[in-house]
Amino acid sequence: MHTEENTARLLPDVAVHAQPHLAGELDWVGMNGIEVPVRFDAGDGDVQRASARVGAFVNLRRPDKRGIHMSRLYLLVEEALSTQTLSVASLRGLLRAFLDSHKDLSDRACLSIRFEHLVRRPALRSSNSGWRAYPVCIEASLVGEEFLLEFGTEVVYSSTCPASAALSRQLIQDQFTKDFDAGQPIDHAAVLAWLGSEKGIVATPHAQRSVARLRVRLADNASFNLIQLIDQAEQALGTPVQTAVKREDEQAFARANGANLMFCEDAARRLQKALDADASLSDFHIRVEHQESLHPHDAVAYASKGVEGGYAGKGCA
């Protein structure tokens, strides 16, 4: 009869045997796409359970060792993320557990978590509301005692081109000049009817669905607050996409688009101003993408807080 100790001896572990001709340190080794449930509070006290994809990694600093203990990382991820609500403290603790489980192999650990969080959003005018699924990305690393945490999401909105709006207004003026003789008195009722006809509105500015991708670093003692971040972004932009709408909501959305004409540069600066005023954020990175209806390519702008050693000037892909 085999004891547990004897059984363990019978199971080979080739990872502990070095291959001299392949010796070398590795920056990161681990797993990506681990399927696990997570518990997340978006800042409203309502803890939701979501299906997440997780990446778990440590470095391999010993060239004489062939591999890491991936099963240890998996079990730590499964135990921590499926039972604890995501928090800054819990993520720091999980990364510390990664390193404790690899004391002889690693001195750096990192973690990525991706999932969607449902938030109910009200209609603009009617009493309706509907759900929006906001993507959440959390990335954390621990090097010695240096802990770094990044938190991101996306906001989808409508952007109406200011140049196109000006050109459309000019065409409407031209049509008005053709339809109404400058030498004749203006009939109020006739003009009102003309403005409500397709003949009067001969051109409309082009608009497009647009995406703002936000990545932030939390200040000390700050916690995850997805809803606050979403509210700040959507209020700054003025034209977030809607869920359930009736005609009064659609009309209000058209008014919002007319009042918020913006190039991608305008959108990026609006978001930059809003996030810069948030003391809970130590740094942020903004990428806005206007998926052009005029062109087959997109208009893109980036912005950051501009702190030394932060996101400023990093990446344009």
Side-chain angles (χ1 to χ4, degrees), residues 272 276 282-284 303-313:
Q272 183 183 47
D276 198 41
S282 65
D283 198 5
F284 55 79
S304 65
K305 190 174 181 67
V307 299
E308 185 177 353
Y311 289 116

Side-chain angles (χ1 to χ4, degrees), residues 9 12 23 63 76 79 109 127 131 142-143 155 168 174 198 203 281 290:
R9 286 202 187 104
L76 287 167
E79 179 183 5
S127 60
W131 293 102
L142 185 63
V143 180
V155 169
S168 297
D174 292 344
E198 291 184 3
L281 307 180
H290 289 190

